[in-house]
Amino acid sequence: MPLKKRDLTLTLASTMVGLTLGVSGLALAQSPSFRDLPADHWAAKAVHYLAERNIIKGYEDQTFQPNKPVTRAEFAQGLYQAKTAPNIVQAPLTEWNQDLPSPRIDPEAYVSQGATVTGDVTVEKNVFVAPSASVRGDEGRPIVIKEGSNIQDGAVIHGLENSKNAANRYPGPDGKEHSVYVGRNVSVAHGALVHGPAIVDDDTFLGFNAIVLKAKVGKGVFVGHGAMVIGVTVVDNKFVPNGAVIDTQEKADALQEKTRANEEFAAEVIHVNQAFARGYRDQPAGQQPGHTAH
């Protein structure tokens, strides 16, 4: 029996990001505007994911024709495009990457083609990864970005190699050990750096060019622009002023509570970037964001 387009999409999606499609609990992606591919079709997730990245295309009459057989040449071309997709990258073979991990990106997330996601990284639904962001799970691993968060332009998430050094992994709120854990509805603003081991819990805002290094940042914290949080634990709902250097636990313990204005600003950034995740994900393939608004 010849391979059909619907089967090819699953092969290519798995090649790119290791998606496990069709399993219980995985959210259904929206149909990518193909008249003959309803949203509840079993291949819709993979088709949507690949179409928005220009790995596969439909026809001028807005059909996908999932049952159309593919030739060997079409299969080889698709596989080549998937393996060479410039921004979703398998980790290289090293002593700590013997399993060659690839990113796991939920179909309801959006990763700009101008961003790079590498190695042992999980990106959950409604996450927006903006142009020039770099999320690298090729050294410290694993890295997880939970639902509804955003990694803005020029932000970097990376971690120290930890296969032989447990000190370079921190337990996250989920009870698992991570190189970097970014919780739900977190904003990592333009140029910010989160370098593992690091935990950034739910509803926290990291300002422009902020740095979190070997630190645990609690829920609802507001880290100001250019601030550094290094080697400490910051408890929930604290405010780190712009440009502050919080590098002792004494300094961390002395931080004041965030203000209502801080909370409202952080909420607006989340609102805007979740709208970007939905909007860019659902628009026609090939259109890319230039920048985020916050």
Side-chain angles (χ1 to χ4, degrees):
M1 179 179 294
L3 186 71
K4 298 181 179 180
K5 284 189 69 178
R6 65 190 188 191
D7 307 308
L8 176 60
T9 59
L10 298 184
T11 301
L12 299 184
S14 297
T15 297
M16 288 183 66
V17 295
L19 287 177
T20 302
L21 297 158
V23 298
S24 176
L26 184 60
L28 180 66
Q30 295 184 9
S31 174
S33 301
F34 295 126
R35 294 190 294 107
D36 58 344
L37 194 75
D40 59 354
H41 189 282
W42 61 266
K45 299 173 190 175
V47 170
H48 183 276
Y49 183 85
L50 294 168
E52 70 176 11
R53 288 159 176 80
N54 278 326
I55 302 299
I56 59 172
K57 298 181 182 295
Y59 297 91
E60 292 183 358
D61 63 355
Q62 293 186 318
T63 63
F64 182 71
Q65 300 182 27
N67 294 318
K68 182 179 179 179
V70 296
T71 66
R72 289 184 179 180
E74 289 171 329
F75 179 84
Q77 182 180 18
L79 188 62
Y80 175 79
Q81 288 177 312
K83 290 290 286 185
T84 57
N87 65 324
I88 308 295
V89 185
Q90 184 180 55
L93 180 64
T94 64
E95 62 185 84
W96 60 89
N97 282 327
Q98 293 292 312
D99 57 336
L100 301 178
S102 293
R104 297 163 297 279
I105 301 173
D106 191 283
E108 293 190 48
Y110 183 84
V111 178
S112 167
Q113 291 184 9
T116 303
V117 181
T118 305
D120 192 356
V121 178
T122 298
V123 178
E124 293 191 354
K125 67 180 182 178
N126 296 327
V127 168
F128 176 58
V129 182
S132 75
S134 176
V135 184
R136 287 181 50 204
D138 55 356
E139 184 178 347
R141 54 179 296 200
I143 292 172
V144 62
I145 302 171
K146 303 293 284 185
E147 178 179 347
S149 292
N150 59 85
I151 313 300
Q152 296 181 19
D153 311 62
V156 174
I157 298 179
H158 190 235
L160 296 173
E161 201 282 308
N162 55 24
S163 64
K164 298 179 181 178
N165 186 352
N168 288 336
R169 297 188 299 271
Y170 285 166
D174 58 0
K176 302 176 182 178
E177 290 193 335
H178 302 275
S179 174
V180 177
Y181 176 97
V182 176
R184 293 174 177 82
N185 301 323
V186 169
S187 292
V188 181
H190 306 306
L193 168 65
V194 181
H195 202 287
I199 303 293
V200 181
D201 211 340
D202 300 350
D203 303 312
T204 282
F205 174 85
L206 305 182
F208 308 148
N209 298 313
I211 294 175
V212 175
L213 170 63
K214 290 188 175 181
K216 300 176 182 179
V217 180
K219 293 181 179 181
V221 175
F222 192 100
V223 178
H225 306 311
M228 300 183 186
V229 179
I230 302 174
V232 300
T233 296
V234 177
V235 299
D236 297 353
N237 299 314
K238 293 296 185 179
F239 171 64
V240 180
N242 295 341
V245 178
I246 309 301
D247 57 358
T248 68
Q249 195 56 47
E250 182 180 13
K251 292 179 181 178
D253 293 341
L255 291 170
Q256 301 298 307
E257 296 286 314
K258 69 179 179 183
T259 66
R260 179 67 178 270
N262 295 150
E263 186 172 355
E264 291 175 349
F265 181 82
E268 177 60 17
V269 175
I270 286 294
H271 171 74
V272 166
N273 282 277
Q274 288 181 354
F276 279 144
R278 294 188 299 272
Y280 283 122
R281 184 190 68 217
D282 297 339
Q283 73 179 13
Q287 298 182 28
Q288 289 295 308
H291 61 278
T292 55
H294 288 280

